[in-house]
């Protein structure tokens, strides 16, 4: 009996198992367009449409193609908080309101940081792009995002 008690005590002190990551190829995908003051940029995005997909996000990814990203949608707008735990690459995080307008950008979020990244106004989604994409493409607060989540899906050149 004592051995079983010690075994149970040992098991209780082990860290909880992390659920296996879902392959990104199994996430739904869609096309997203950002209209900047100088151009229109199209991205193929993975959609983190469930709580487990939102928790996983881009964790453990070693690179992100320049024309891809991940969209974290909400059914109704809310204050959204993000972090970079177990995320190995820098990311630009774009907070987007219900009308598809970018209201806040956190550029080059630090890989593996547990700092909470938030914007104090309710948003409909957060879009993650490769770190430096906003600076390279001229994406700014106030730019417009076209996606079915915001009422109108773009007919962009990215095929899914």
């Amino acid at each position: 009996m004592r051995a079983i008690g010690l075994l149970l005590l040992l098991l209780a002190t082990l860290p909880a198992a992390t659920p296996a990551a879902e392959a990104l190829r199994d996430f739904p995908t869609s096309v997203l367009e950002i209209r900047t003051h100088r151009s229109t940029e199209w991205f193929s995005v993975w959609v983190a449409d469930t709580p487990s997909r939102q928790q996983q996000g881009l964790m453990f990814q070693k690179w992100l193609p320049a024309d891809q990203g991940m969209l974290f949608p909400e059914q109704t707008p809310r204050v959204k908080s993000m972090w970079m735990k177990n995320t190995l690459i820098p990311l630009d995080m774009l907070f987007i309101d219900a009308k598809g307008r970018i209201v806040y950008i956190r550029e080059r979020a630090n890989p593996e940081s547990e700092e909470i990244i938030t914007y104090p106004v309710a948003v409909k989604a957060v879009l993650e792009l490769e770190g430096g994409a906003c600076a390279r493409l001229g994406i700014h607060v106030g730019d417009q995002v076209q996606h079915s989540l915001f009422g109108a899906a773009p007919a962009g050149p990215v095929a899914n």
Side-chain angles (χ1 to χ4, degrees):
M1 277 312 247
R2 183 167 184 219
I4 292 173
L6 288 173
L7 180 60
L8 291 175
L9 180 62
L10 176 63
L11 290 174
T13 62
L14 293 175
T18 304
E22 182 178 355
L24 287 180
R25 70 177 172 272
D26 295 333
F27 279 52
T29 59
S30 61
V31 175
L32 179 141
E33 173 185 296
I34 301 177
R35 294 180 182 170
T36 73
H37 66 284
R38 69 179 190 204
S39 66
T40 300
E41 304 296 335
W42 287 273
F43 299 91
S44 175
V45 294
W46 293 287
V47 181
D49 61 342
T50 66
S52 63
R53 286 176 174 158
Q54 289 209 3
Q55 183 178 2
Q56 176 183 326
L58 291 168
M59 285 183 175
F60 307 110
Q61 297 302 306
K62 294 181 180 171
W63 67 286
L64 182 63
D67 65 346
Q68 291 187 299
M70 182 167 284
L71 186 66
F72 296 79
E74 292 297 328
Q75 289 290 343
T76 57
R78 70 176 186 91
V79 172
K80 190 118 172 102
S81 296
M82 308 291 284
W83 71 349
M84 295 287 289
K85 182 178 181 179
N86 298 321
T87 305
L88 307 176
I89 54 176
L91 296 172
D92 288 354
M93 294 182 185
L94 294 72
F95 291 70
I96 308 164
D97 71 13
K99 294 180 180 179
R101 189 173 60 89
I102 299 170
V103 295
Y104 175 69
I105 299 173
R106 175 62 175 272
E107 292 187 61
R108 293 191 173 274
N110 292 324
E112 301 190 74
S113 171
E114 293 188 22
E115 172 194 1
I116 301 300
I117 300 167
T118 193
Y119 183 68
V121 173
V123 295
K124 184 75 172 164
V126 173
L127 173 65
E128 291 180 342
L129 301 174
E130 70 168 330
C134 290
R136 182 173 43 81
L137 299 172
I139 298 171
H140 299 287
V141 168
D143 289 345
Q144 190 65 39
V145 177
Q146 294 288 114
H147 185 270
S148 59
L149 180 66
F150 310 111
V158 179
N160 281 314

